[in-house]
Structures are given as structure tokens and as C-alpha cells.
Amino acid sequence: MSVRFNPGALSTEAASQVQVATIPRLPPLHISRPRLVDALLEARCRLRLICAPAGFGKSVLMNECARLVPADTHLVWLDLGGRAFSAEALYSQLRRVLSGTTLESGDVQQDLINLLNDFPRPLWIMLDDYPRGVTAPFDACLDLLIERGPESVSWWVSSRRQPAWKLPRLLLQGDLFELEAEALALTPGELRLLLKAHRLEIADDTFKQLLAGSEGWLAGVSLLLLNADEQAIRERLIAGTSLLRDYVQREVLEGQSEDVCRALFALARMPRFSSQLCEHVLDGIGNDLLDVLKTSQLFIRQTDNCGEWYRLWRPLALMLRRMPCTASPTQTHLRACQWFANRGEMREAVEHALWAGQPEVAANFLQRYGQEQLLIGDNVSHFMKWRSELPQDLFNSTTRLIVLHGWALIISARLDEVDDCLADLAKFFPQPDARRQAQLLAQWQALRGFLARLRGEPEASDYCLQALEVLSDHAWAQRVLCYQALSQQAIAESQLELAQHYNSEGMKLARLKGSVLYEAMLSVDRIQLLEITGEFERAVGVLEESLMVLRDGVGHSPIIGRLKLLRGHLLAYQGLDELAHEAYQQGRVETETCGDSYVFFGYAGLAELAARSQEFPAAYHWLREAERLAQWRHVPEARFRGILPLITGVTWLHQGQLKKARAIFIQVLEQYEGHTFIAPSGFYELLPRAQRYLAVVDLLSGRCSLAIETLRELIEQNLRSQRLGLACECRFTLAEALQMEGQHDDAELELRKALCEAARQHLVKPLYELQHRQPQWLARVLPAGKGESLRDRLLQFEREPEDSAVSGDEVILSNRELTVLRLIAQGCSNQEIAEQLFISLHTVKTHARRINTKLGVARRTQAVARAKALAWL
């Protein structure tokens, strides 16, 4: 079997090697794909299999490789045309091409092996367009030849069907290199080359739509680009083309059985499907159907890592939806809806009910939607989409739907709309009996309390405490959220011990219910507590542990995004700016994808990081993006009150625009003075930070004495509140103010104290300011080796010996140590403390020993007495 051959495309030597077998010419708009050609040529194996659906460039790719055949290798190209073929026909062709003299024995497979063994040179046998129909004898013959044939023979096969060969065995033996559709899909660079070949230039957004809409399907892209301009491309992406429809009809559907065609039209309407779902939806024709579709390479794409879930390639699915078919889409969606609902997968059940035009069914399934499910993937975004698609009276028809709606709005920070949910919930009062009345009121209070927390209103605690008194065990999710709101409120009010208590209670309940997501959600607050109290190393440990736990069971979640944003925050404080930037970006993308309002902190963190690095255009870009996102998502100012102005002020401060910085820091403070607002969740140190930055402005403006007075007061306040990280930052600024005021001895003493605290906390961030403004002074106190970063210098800093007993204002206990000390004062044993704080007995004893050392005492009773003398208890 031969086709046209262009000898000019090959070297003279290579052309002589082809002999009777010929290879086709390359298409006129061919683009080279060296990444694939090189991979095939570099593979050292018996079989190179290029297996993919129609139109992925399999034959052209093998054609490219054929033109690069090694000088000592003989090439045989056989175009099988996708038709049935036999071992006898293969032997006949190879014997004619190779001019073999082997005598026939009656056993064609043995004759083939003998023929190949007798050939004196290395041999490439290229079988283009392997038979598309099942040809068991021919498959068995090739399987034997590949396994038992001489190693000097390399088999190259392009096929739309996966042959029935022992492919796993070949793969394990290193005898197989396979390219599938995903590898053959056009990359962005290859798509640009194809556009250039068509002499087309298109805008970036059109390019992205073309790449996403085609998923790199070469034939689909080529037919869309034929005689097109940019406007035509955009229209064809929406409506398709007659050429593309004809291609699908002839190359994909033609020759398929009625059952297979029916299945393809049904599956084109499903975002994902499995073997069991196919069997249920396709009513009797689903048995083994998925295996048929996969074997026949009918545009099936795997969506998981276990081979359970699949979907059709997007361009084919879109084309099939536009083509007429006899199957009822409504019936397909209703069957899928029923199947997903029976498995408890309510998101898909709701989606299919809506696609089937059954809003009442969708609303019924939506009531079974668990509150915890809002924290998985982009379920919040889907929930908000369903709200717009369902009739309003249907969405507000039950208390369950209203409560779910309220929590979805809270995650999205659309706080003003939560008021409407509370009003709709109030319409269900009174309830038929006292128990249901109390439970509904508690649900209302929980929702109202969390809303008040996000708005920074002090009455949040009252609402949540009242709700906790009544909420039943059935409403455990709302109980956890109440504990979270109480913990966040306590952090904002600097009641860190109380915050720890509420966080522990919520954590205990989440673990009791086996909720990994809620436990990780509460870990976000726990990490921030540890950070505030200067326990950065423990904070990082809790964060990484939480991410590891979620990684095993949750692919995407707003909680994963929040943890990654926190990772960026902690890394930035430790001076690891590149890693911090990467973590911020990862967290930003995750939270934005999941519809979580915490994405705001990603933009704020990136802006602050850029300002610290003197990259001011980037800083202003991220600030604008944060503002734009808040407006686009209808996030009220109350959710992030003062944060954006504070970061803007920090940027101006780094730029040296002191007047503008002072004005905006004062503006932040005035937003809270005279009001009862409390700092927003996630940015609990907003006000003391604004005060520190004002002191920095005073320092740089020459008002050092005023800065010193302010900073001493701030250090005292922060130590009293156990905000040790911020106290350390203030101490660095105080040292700088004393130095500029001429009080050099006091300045050096404060600087060394600050360095000791920073080294203990692994806190590098405050050193950047000092390095920028006082590089020589810092270099003298903290010498630098060649190539050492500030982080390296700090971690090598050796603390000077101190007296064992220190004065009260210099004693620094961590938040956990202070908690242990208070439990000791209450008469708790070490075992009781361990149980209350979820830590080991050994850890309790370690904390107690450190407390005694820091306070300069020998016994527990002396430590309690000393703490009382310092007014800590």
C-alpha cells in the first residue's frame, strides 16, 4: 500500500532507503512541533504508539519523524487507511518491500519473525492509520511481533483505536512510548505559529477564547481559521461552522453504531460522567459503553487521577449540542439528577434539575445541601448562580434555603444582602411550637452574630452566645460558626485568652463531628493568634499541618486559599519575600476561584510586599485591583474598614510622602474613634499598626521625642495584650528614634532587645525598615558576612547573657505560656492542663519550666505569686 511521495523532502541517502514504501507530503499549512518529534526520536523502545481521536495530527507527526530517519536505518511506511488488515497482508507487504527470501512455512506469524530477523539493518516500520474496527487476529499478530521480534526493529503506529496489545506490560518493560490526545493538543506557542501560517493576528482575549474553546484540537482550530478574520473566529467559536459540522459527521459519527451516536449526544450535555452514570442515564446501553468510547478514541478525556470520571473534549461537545438528535436533553438531565441525588452529590443534582427546566426539583435538592459544602471548591459561586436562576419566591420558600443563602452571602462578604435574608427568616415567626420557635430564633441569632462580627459591631458576642445556649446538636455547623465569631471578636478586643478558649471549643466540636474543613477553618484563627503572640514557628507548623490534612481529601476550597494567604503573610514577616509572593498569588487565585471574600487579603499582601521592595507601580496596581474587586463583588466598606487606606499609607510612607501618609493614617484612626467599631477579621492589629506608622512619620519628620513617647506607650500596651510581634516592631522603631534623638546608649540597648525578640520569633520584617534608613548602624550591631541576607544575619545573632531574673516590663511570656500559667493559678494539674489545651503532658511541663526560667523562680507557687505582682492574673 503506498501513497504519493515527495523525494525532495528527504536527503538523497534517506530517499534511497524508502524504496517501494512511500510517505505522503506534508500539508500546506503545516507547522513543525519539535517538542513531540524530539520526544519520539529520543525514545528507546520497541513501540512508539500515537493514539488519539481524529484530527490531532497523528499522521503528520509520524511523517515528520520519518523524514529524520537515521542514516543506517531502513524505513517502511505503510498507510493502512483505517481499514481492516490481516497478518497475511502485512507479511506480503513487508516481504515485497524488504525483498526477503524467507520461505513460507504456513505459520504467518513465524514467517514475519523470520523475515524481520533476516533483515541485516535496523528497521523502522511505520503503520499509519491503524485499523479502526476491531481486528483481533491482526492485533494478536502485532502484539507477538512487538514482543518477540528483533530489537533492531522499531514499530511506529498511529491509530484512532487503542489496539488490544499488552500495553501495561510493554510500558513496565520500557518497550512503549505513547502519545495521547492531551500531549498532541496544541500548546499556546504552537497555536500562535498556526495563526501566523494563516496570516492572522488576533487580540489576546480572542486568542485565549480560541485556545480554551478548541482545547488545542488541531483539526477543529484549522477549520475555524479557514478564510477567517478575528470577527469570524469569535462568531465561529459560538456558532461553529458547516465545515466543522461536516467533519464531525464524517470523521467521528459516521460508521458508529446507533447506540454510540446516541450516547455521544447525551454525554455532550454532561460536564462529567462515569461508567455507572452512563449505565443509569443511557437506559440499558451503558454497559461497557465507556470502554467502547475510550478504546475507539471518541474524544473521551479523563478528569480525575483514578480513571473513574470523564468528559467529552469541549469542542466536540459544543458541536454535538448544536446538531439535531433524537434523544431528549430533558430526560438525560432528569436521569442524571436522580443518580447524583441518590449518591448525595447535591451540587450536580441541582445543576441537572435546572438544565432539565425543573426549578422545584432543584430547590428540593438544594435543601439537602450541607453548610459545609459551601467550603468546597467554587460551590459558593454556584450557589449564588442558582439564586439568580431560581424564582425568588421558591428560593425564599423554606428557612433552610434562607439560612444557606445567608451563609453563602457571608462567605462572599455581600453583607448588606444578608439583612434581606434575616428579614425573610423573620417572616417564619411564630413557629407552631416553642421548640421550633427557639431553634429558628437561634438560627437567626447565629447569622446575625456572624454578620455583626464581619461589620465590626460589638454586639456580635451577645448574639452568638445567645444562639449557643439554644442551638441543638443537629445545628452543630452553626455552633462551630458561632465559636469562630466569638473567637475572632475576642482577638479584635485583645482578649487573647478568651479567643483561645472559644477557638478550642469550636475545634473540639468540629473534630467530634469529623469535619476536616471546619477544623481547618478554625485553624486559620488559631494561626493568627499564634502570629499575634509572636509564636511564628508554631504558626507555620499549624498552617502546614492544616494544608496537608486538606490536601488528602479536598481539591479546592476557600479554606485552602485562606491558609495559603496566611502562608504568604508569615513568609513575608520572616523575610522570605519571593516565597511570600508565590504564596500570596496561590492564595489569591484559590480564593478568587472559590468566590471567597478573603481574596482581598491577597491583593493587600501583594501591595504591601511590592511597596516594601520599592516596586511602587506594582503596589498601586494591586491596590486598584483590590478596590475594583470589592466594588465588582458588592463588598461593603465595613468588611475591610480601614485596611485599604492603611496599605495605601504604608506605600506612601515607603515613597517618602510623609504628609499624605500621616493624613491617611489619621483617617484610619478617625474611622474608629467615636464609634463602637472593632477591627475587621483577619486584620486585628489595624489600629495599633496605624499608631505605629504615625510614630514612624513623626520620626522621619524630625519629631523624635513625640515618636519616643508614643512608641514606649505602644510597647507597653502590646506587651500587656501579649501582641509580641507588634511589640517587637515598635521596639525597633523606638531604637531608631532614640538613635536619631542622640540617645545612643539607650538606642543600642533597645536595638539589642529588639533583635533578641526578633530572633526568638523569626521576625525579619522590621529589619527592612531599619536597613533602608539606618544601614550602617544595623551593620555594626548585626554584622553581615558576604552574601548573607537579613534573615541569615538575624538567625545567627547570639543573645547576650542576661540576669536570670528580669524586670516585669521586660518579661515576655508567649500566649500559650500565659494560658498555662493562668490554669496553674486556677489549681489545674499538668494532666488537666494538657487535656484542656489539646497538648501532651511533656509539652505542659516544658511550658512550666520556661515560665519559671523567665520569671526567675523555682516553683509553681512562686510563678503565680510573681504573675500576680505583675498584675497579669
Side-chain angles (χ1 to χ4, degrees):
M1 303 178 72
S2 62
V3 293
R4 287 183 300 164
F5 169 56
N6 178 12
L10 292 174
S11 66
T12 303
E13 185 176 8
S16 67
Q17 297 164 17
V18 176
Q19 298 182 2
V20 179
T22 57
I23 61 176
R25 66 178 179 84
L26 293 170
L29 292 176
H30 163 70
I31 60 163
S32 179
R33 299 207 272 175
R35 66 179 177 93
L36 299 175
V37 173
D38 292 346
L40 285 164
L41 292 175
E42 291 170 6
R44 296 291 178 263
C45 55
R46 291 174 180 265
L47 171 64
R48 295 165 178 84
L49 176 61
I50 309 172
C51 192
F56 275 89
K58 302 180 293 298
S59 297
V60 173
L61 177 60
M62 201 158 72
N63 190 327
E64 282 191 79
C65 293
R67 294 164 189 273
L68 298 170
V69 59
D72 63 339
T73 301
H74 193 89
L75 171 69
V76 177
W77 177 285
L78 296 178
D79 182 0
L80 306 187
R83 295 180 291 275
F85 207 64
S86 66
E88 290 78 9
L90 179 64
Y91 177 64
S92 174
Q93 290 288 344
L94 289 179
R95 185 173 182 182
R96 180 167 59 88
V97 170
L98 301 178
S99 300
T101 58
T102 304
L103 297 176
E104 297 185 27
S105 66
D107 183 347
V108 68
Q109 292 181 350
Q110 187 59 49
D111 289 341
L112 279 165
I113 291 174
N114 294 337
L115 176 65
L116 297 175
N117 278 326
D118 291 344
F119 194 74
R121 299 164 59 189
L123 184 63
W124 281 8
I125 301 177
M126 292 187 164
L127 305 182
D128 185 33
D129 202 358
Y130 194 80
R132 299 171 198 173
V134 176
T135 53
F138 188 56
D139 283 0
C141 175
L142 261 294
D143 199 22
L144 182 70
L145 289 177
I146 293 167
E147 184 177 0
R148 297 187 185 177
E151 292 188 3
S152 59
V153 178
S154 294
W155 293 91
W156 297 63
V157 179
S158 72
S159 177
R160 293 191 194 179
R161 173 178 68 89
Q162 191 171 67
W165 299 335
K166 302 181 186 73
L167 296 178
R169 180 178 177 180
L170 290 171
L171 189 64
L172 289 172
Q173 291 174 342
D175 286 330
L176 169 65
F177 180 80
E178 184 175 9
L179 284 178
E180 298 180 310
E182 284 80 1
L184 295 170
L186 293 170
T187 64
E190 291 166 349
L191 178 55
R192 292 194 186 280
L193 288 176
L194 188 59
L195 287 167
K196 187 176 180 180
H198 282 265
R199 298 180 181 178
L200 280 169
E201 290 186 11
I202 58 177
D204 285 344
D205 61 334
T206 307
F207 178 84
K208 290 176 182 176
Q209 289 177 31
L210 179 60
L211 187 62
S214 67
E215 290 195 306
W217 181 32
L218 181 57
V221 174
S222 299
L223 290 172
L224 283 173
L225 296 182
L226 202 61
N227 300 321
D229 56 17
E230 182 168 0
Q231 183 59 34
I233 293 172
R234 298 176 75 92
E235 291 174 3
R236 290 174 181 180
L237 281 169
I238 297 172
T241 71
S242 57
L243 281 174
L244 190 52
R245 283 192 292 274
D246 186 58
Y247 185 89
V248 169
Q249 182 64 50
R250 292 179 180 276
E251 297 294 331
V252 180
L253 300 179
E254 195 170 279
Q256 303 297 336
S257 69
E258 183 180 342
D259 284 348
V260 168
C261 290
R262 177 186 161 196
L264 286 173
F265 279 108
L267 298 179
R269 300 181 177 277
M270 303 178 67
R272 64 171 187 150
F273 50 82
S274 65
S275 180
Q276 292 177 335
L277 178 56
C278 287
E279 187 174 348
H280 182 84
V281 169
L282 298 174
D283 192 21
I285 66 169
N287 285 330
D288 302 323
L289 175 70
L290 202 53
D291 290 334
V292 172
L293 297 178
K294 286 190 292 183
T295 301
S296 302
Q297 293 292 310
L298 287 174
F299 290 84
I300 302 298
R301 187 165 192 173
Q302 187 173 314
T303 62
D304 64 0
N305 295 319
C306 303
E308 180 183 1
W309 289 98
Y310 297 84
R311 66 171 174 85
L312 288 188
W313 279 75
R314 191 173 295 118
L316 177 68
L318 290 172
M319 189 54 60
L320 291 175
R321 287 178 211 162
R322 300 182 187 117
M323 296 172 69
C325 68
T326 56
S328 167
T330 299
Q331 191 64 25
T332 297
H333 288 307
L334 282 176
R335 285 178 174 274
C337 170
Q338 180 188 44
W339 188 85
F340 279 114
N342 289 339
R343 286 168 55 100
E345 299 183 37
M346 291 304 135
R347 169 170 162 174
E348 282 88 350
V350 171
E351 289 281 15
H352 283 286
L354 289 171
W355 288 328
Q358 302 289 327
E360 294 84 2
V361 176
N364 181 49
F365 285 135
L366 196 54
Q367 288 196 99
R368 305 186 205 174
Y369 209 70
Q371 212 164 292
E372 192 180 22
Q373 288 180 280
L374 293 174
L375 299 178
I376 299 174
D378 57 350
N379 283 354
V380 168
S381 300
H382 276 270
F383 196 94
M384 304 306 290
K385 180 175 73 74
W386 297 332
R387 183 190 69 158
S388 64
E389 293 177 1
L390 285 169
Q392 192 63 33
D393 57 341
L394 196 60
F395 209 88
N396 296 336
S397 60
T398 68
T399 58
R400 175 67 179 162
L401 283 176
I402 294 170
V403 169
L404 276 173
H405 184 199
W407 289 114
L409 287 167
I410 277 176
I411 293 172
S412 305
R414 299 170 70 161
L415 307 185
D416 294 341
E417 297 176 54
V418 182
D419 288 323
D420 296 332
C421 287
L422 291 169
D424 290 332
L425 206 58
K427 295 175 183 177
F428 286 84
F429 292 107
Q431 287 287 295
D433 57 65
R435 185 190 63 81
R436 280 187 280 183
Q437 175 84 355
Q439 287 299 312
L440 183 58
L441 178 59
Q443 294 270 7
W444 185 95
Q445 288 171 325
L447 199 56
R448 180 67 182 85
F450 213 102
L451 176 63
R453 163 79 291 266
L454 294 182
R455 284 175 170 166
E457 298 169 352
E459 57 267 27
S461 297
D462 293 336
Y463 285 119
C464 290
L465 288 170
Q466 291 167 15
L468 282 172
E469 290 179 2
V470 178
L471 283 171
S472 66
D473 185 63
H474 181 70
W476 66 268
Q478 283 92 333
R479 293 181 64 84
V480 171
L481 290 165
C482 283
Y483 281 124
Q484 185 186 33
L486 288 166
S487 178
Q488 292 182 354
Q489 191 84 342
I491 298 174
E493 294 173 341
S494 297
Q495 300 182 52
L496 302 188
E497 184 182 2
L498 186 61
Q500 174 66 40
H501 166 73
Y502 287 132
N503 183 262
S504 297
E505 289 298 310
M507 196 81 75
K508 189 188 303 180
L509 181 55
R511 288 169 179 165
L512 185 65
K513 298 300 179 180
S515 175
V516 173
L517 271 172
Y518 272 28
E519 184 179 344
M521 179 184 70
L522 291 165
S523 291
V524 172
D525 299 324
R526 184 183 174 204
I527 293 161
Q528 289 182 302
L529 259 173
L530 292 169
E531 180 235 321
I532 287 170
T533 55
E535 297 183 69
F536 281 88
E537 200 168 356
R538 283 191 61 211
V540 171
V542 173
L543 188 149
E544 296 303 330
E545 182 183 345
S546 300
L547 281 173
M548 188 176 296
V549 170
L550 289 179
R551 183 187 61 188
D552 295 334
V554 182
H556 294 282
S557 168
I559 306 305
I560 293 176
R562 295 179 191 184
L563 287 167
K564 288 184 176 179
L565 290 176
L566 260 180
R567 177 193 272 167
H569 177 73
L570 295 177
L571 288 168
Y573 264 80
Q574 295 174 81
L576 302 169
D577 286 10
E578 289 186 11
L579 293 174
H581 187 276
E582 182 182 350
Y584 272 133
Q585 286 284 32
Q586 291 175 353
R588 180 186 67 83
V589 171
E590 184 78 10
T591 46
E592 192 161 1
T593 302
C594 296
D596 185 24
S597 62
Y598 269 72
V599 65
F600 183 90
F601 293 109
Y603 288 106
L606 286 166
E608 188 172 8
L609 208 58
R612 190 171 81 188
S613 303
Q614 308 291 304
E615 298 172 358
F616 300 116
Y620 290 125
H621 163 75
W622 292 120
L623 288 168
R624 285 193 303 272
E625 285 298 298
E627 187 174 14
R628 181 194 64 80
L629 187 74
Q631 293 169 351
W632 178 59
R633 291 199 174 176
H634 309 288
V635 177
E637 193 272 339
R639 173 64 185 94
F640 303 112
R641 185 184 291 112
I643 298 176
L644 205 56
L646 182 77
I647 305 300
T648 303
V650 171
T651 306
W652 284 338
L653 185 60
H654 282 290
Q655 273 189 296
Q657 300 185 43
L658 301 183
K659 288 185 179 180
K660 293 173 72 173
R662 174 188 288 278
I664 205 162
F665 293 141
I666 291 174
Q667 176 190 325
V668 171
L669 293 174
E670 287 177 346
Q671 277 188 294
Y672 287 85
E673 289 176 359
H675 301 283
T676 54
F677 300 137
I678 301 172
S681 297
F683 222 88
Y684 303 104
E685 297 177 330
L686 179 68
L687 298 182
R689 287 201 175 278
Q691 292 167 340
R692 187 184 87 81
Y693 285 128
L694 273 174
V696 173
V697 172
D698 286 334
L699 166 73
L700 298 178
S701 302
R703 294 186 287 269
C704 294
S705 57
L706 179 60
I708 291 169
E709 182 182 347
T710 302
L711 289 163
R712 289 192 189 281
E713 186 177 343
L714 282 173
I715 291 171
E716 184 180 345
Q717 290 174 1
N718 289 319
L719 287 176
R720 193 182 310 124
S721 302
Q722 288 295 298
R723 291 193 295 254
L724 305 188
L726 188 52
C728 181
E729 291 184 57
C730 291
R731 198 178 292 279
F732 273 107
T733 312
L734 173 61
E736 186 179 0
L738 290 167
Q739 178 75 359
M740 292 180 67
E741 186 74 354
Q743 301 179 38
H744 303 300
D745 291 342
D746 289 343
E748 183 123 350
L749 179 63
E750 288 295 337
L751 179 57
R752 290 190 175 277
K753 285 182 183 178
L755 286 170
C756 289
E757 293 171 16
R760 183 180 66 82
Q761 298 178 34
H762 293 182
L763 183 64
V764 182
K765 179 184 175 183
L767 290 176
Y768 282 97
E769 289 184 32
L770 202 60
Q771 170 78 5
H772 182 66
R773 295 193 293 264
Q774 303 284 346
Q776 293 180 340
W777 185 39
L778 183 61
R780 181 169 58 81
V781 179
L782 196 66
K786 185 177 180 180
E788 283 187 335
S789 66
L790 280 175
R791 174 181 169 81
D792 296 331
R793 290 157 63 184
L794 179 65
L795 295 180
Q796 291 175 10
F797 180 76
E798 293 185 2
R799 187 172 183 174
E800 294 182 356
E802 294 181 326
D803 295 332
S804 59
V806 292
S807 60
D809 62 345
E810 294 178 6
V811 172
I812 299 175
L813 295 185
S814 70
N815 182 54
R816 178 51 60 94
E817 288 166 349
L818 191 59
T819 302
V820 169
L821 181 57
R822 286 172 176 162
L823 291 173
I824 290 173
Q826 293 171 20
C828 296
S829 67
N830 287 346
Q831 185 61 47
E832 289 170 334
I833 295 171
E835 291 172 358
Q836 287 196 42
L837 299 182
F838 300 103
I839 57 180
S840 69
L841 187 61
H842 172 74
T843 303
V844 175
K845 292 177 180 178
T846 300
H847 283 313
R849 186 169 59 254
R850 288 176 178 170
I851 290 167
N852 290 348
T853 300
K854 289 182 178 182
L855 293 178
V857 298
R859 293 189 297 277
R860 292 160 62 106
T861 53
Q862 292 174 331
V864 172
R866 175 112 171 106
K868 288 181 177 178
L870 294 171
W872 290 354
L873 302 176

